Amino acid sequence: MNILVANLGSTSFKFRLFRFDEAGAALLARGGYERVTDHGRAIDDCLAELKAAGHVQSASDLHGVGFKTVLGRNLTGCVPADERVIAALEGFKDIAPAHNPPYAAGIRRFQEKLPGVPLVALFETAFYQWMPEAATRYAVPETWYQAGVRRHGFHGASHKFIAERSAELLGRDDIARRVSGLYQDGPGPESGPPLRVISCHLGGSSSITGIRNGLAVGTSMGLSPQSGLPQNNRVGDLDSAAVPYMLKTLGLPLAEIERQLVQESGLLGLSGVGNDLRDLRAAAAQGNARARLALEVFTHSARHWIGAFHFELGGCEAIVFTAGIGENNPDLRAAILRDLGQLGLVLDPAKNEALRGAEGEISAPASRVRVFVIPANEELVVARETLRCIAARN
Ligand code: ADP
């Protein structure tokens, strides 16, 4: 079974082709295009590339296409990418303007080009379907809530993978199985003692999710990916009063405020140096005070959210770091988990320092809370879920 995963950005198109057989999943091909103005053309180029490489000669060599859609109005989960999905994406295009329109257009293009090939949408919000309602609500008037103003959560593919893989690493195959079938079977009954995990996806955009027995109990991302921790160029959490204040005080038009919050905020806005953690670390090491402060704000925010979920869960068995920043920055991991001996959390400094971009444990043997690094592989999650969705329909 060949499954293509299509990753659409406002000006980019990336793809990965996986083959699934009894031995598991193998990555057959990957590629992508930047500065895309015509997604239809990019999809043509992708299919031509896969044909030239001998992977997909015709539509019958492709058994499904999976899309990591962001959020849809009144729709989530892992579902056939049909008119209902396109309508849901269009219904929330103002909340995710960089992502929803390209996905809606991309799904349409694949429908035209590959009729008969199953298309599947895995919403980034899917992992939060079972979050307690109190963790999803903002204190806004009911009309705002009815319009969709609530905490939706994002990075669902990544956090679901961490929920499943961490359960395996902790010897809880019952929970791993529960997580694996979540979108087809629902959560089912609880089994065994509680397993509490705090998953830290720290990358170009970052979120932290508290997970009990494989289900999210809360997450740092809110209505949109403009929330939670400071993101690369995006603001993260901000008091809502800041927007009308800047409108009135500086006379900035709303579109310019939105642009600044999306493009000139986050780690870039704080540091003035850049949005990439490597550049911030280099500048901080050379004495740049704003770059150092940006790293401290990021660390502070990560500790804030980990602390919130540690309390909410009543403790935890494991904390997991994933994504570009979480996998590759031992200093930052150590700073985020500093001074937690009272909670029984002790890092092994040598293991932490040595582990970059690979899976492993970085807590000391005596630590009551285990700490893991697990590389993110969101495309593989989309491919697996696409396959499960197709199998469930047949
Ligand atoms: P996204 O997919 O959201 O763009 P990533 O998960 O790739 O994000 O994370 C990007 C971030 O990870 C950047 O801030 C980058 O500095 C950091 N990062 C990636 N690789 C490394 C590395 N080898 N060392 C330090 N930081 C890294």
Side-chain angles (χ1 to χ4, degrees):
M1 298 280 268
N2 292 336
I3 302 289
L4 180 68
V5 176
N7 184 347
L8 290 109
S10 51
T11 60
S12 67
F13 176 83
K14 295 184 207 144
F15 65 86
R16 289 194 194 185
L17 179 69
F18 294 89
R19 174 163 296 162
F20 288 83
D21 57 24
E22 303 81 58
L27 180 65
L28 290 189
R30 60 186 294 177
Y33 319 102
E34 302 290 337
R35 300 199 188 116
V36 169
T37 50
D38 178 350
H39 282 89
R41 171 109 183 265
I43 291 166
D44 280 346
D45 291 349
C46 158
L47 294 173
E49 248 187 73
L50 294 176
K51 190 168 184 178
H55 297 309
V56 178
Q57 298 300 340
S58 69
S60 61
D61 293 332
L62 200 56
H63 304 101
V65 182
F67 301 87
K68 188 160 67 77
T69 43
V70 178
L71 88 160
R73 184 144 193 202
N74 299 326
L75 186 63
T76 189
C78 186
V79 294
D82 52 14
E83 292 310 312
R84 191 172 63 128
V85 164
I86 291 173
L89 292 171
E90 286 173 347
F92 267 164
K93 67 181 185 319
D94 291 328
I95 297 180
H99 293 97
N100 279 12
Y103 269 110
I107 291 169
R108 280 224 164 85
R109 285 296 189 162
F110 272 103
Q111 286 174 337
E112 286 162 20
K113 286 182 195 302
L114 298 173
V117 174
L119 309 181
V120 173
L122 172 62
F123 282 99
E124 284 286 69
T125 51
F127 191 53
Y128 305 99
Q129 292 173 73
W130 300 278
M131 205 153 69
E133 191 179 1
T136 70
R137 294 292 289 259
Y138 294 118
V140 291
E142 188 65 13
T143 46
W144 290 44
Y145 172 68
Q146 295 300 339
V149 177
R150 47 159 287 196
R151 192 180 291 282
H152 298 283
F154 298 97
H155 293 138
S158 178
H159 291 296
K160 180 176 188 278
F161 180 68
I162 298 303
E164 187 171 339
R165 184 69 192 132
S166 62
E168 286 171 0
L169 292 172
L170 292 160
R172 291 294 303 272
D173 291 347
D174 57 327
I175 303 284
R177 274 196 304 278
R178 181 185 209 207
V179 177
S180 140
L182 209 45
Y183 300 158
Q184 284 73 47
D185 308 332
E190 303 257 304
S191 64
L195 178 66
R196 300 157 302 178
V197 174
I198 300 174
S199 171
C200 308
H201 176 109
L202 309 180
S205 84
S206 301
S207 68
I208 295 182
T209 294
I211 301 167
R212 181 191 283 117
N213 291 339
L215 302 187
V217 299
T219 186
S220 60
M221 285 279 200
L223 168 69
S224 78
Q226 284 276 86
S227 49
L229 284 81
Q231 317 291 347
N232 50 5
N233 297 12
R234 289 181 277 113
V235 64
D237 282 343
L238 176 75
D239 189 322
S240 62
V243 173
Y245 170 70
M246 294 307 282
L247 261 171
K248 289 176 201 151
T249 311
L250 293 188
L252 293 178
L254 187 57
E256 174 59 10
I257 289 184
E258 282 181 304
R259 192 192 67 75
Q260 291 188 13
L261 290 173
V262 173
Q263 293 179 17
E264 293 183 358
S265 300
L267 295 175
L268 172 67
L270 277 164
S271 70
V273 166
N275 67 8
D276 189 298
L277 208 86
R278 286 165 284 205
D279 300 334
L280 265 62
R281 291 184 49 171
Q286 285 170 2
N288 185 306
R290 278 180 64 190
R292 196 175 60 238
L293 179 66
L295 294 172
E296 286 171 6
V297 172
F298 187 82
T299 303
H300 178 270
S301 179
R303 283 171 67 82
H304 169 90
W305 285 103
I306 293 171
F309 297 129
H310 189 269
F311 201 91
E312 175 70 24
L313 291 164
C316 69
E317 279 64 49
I319 294 176
V320 182
F321 289 96
T322 190
I325 295 177
E327 292 164 28
N328 294 296
N329 292 277
D331 298 357
L332 199 86
R333 295 192 296 245
I336 290 172
L337 297 182
R338 70 175 186 271
D339 302 333
L340 298 180
Q342 282 280 338
L343 300 181
L345 193 157
V346 188
L347 274 192
D348 180 319
K351 281 190 199 159
N352 181 37
E353 186 53 37
L355 195 60
R356 291 157 202 254
E359 183 176 286
E361 183 166 359
I362 56 172
S363 42
S367 185
R368 279 207 303 279
V369 177
R370 298 177 70 182
V371 184
F372 296 100
V373 175
I374 300 178
N377 196 343
E378 293 166 89
E379 287 81 5
L380 178 62
V381 175
V382 179
R384 277 187 192 162
E385 294 299 333
T386 299
L387 201 59
R388 286 179 184 141
C389 178
I390 294 168
R393 284 164 65 203
N394 289 336

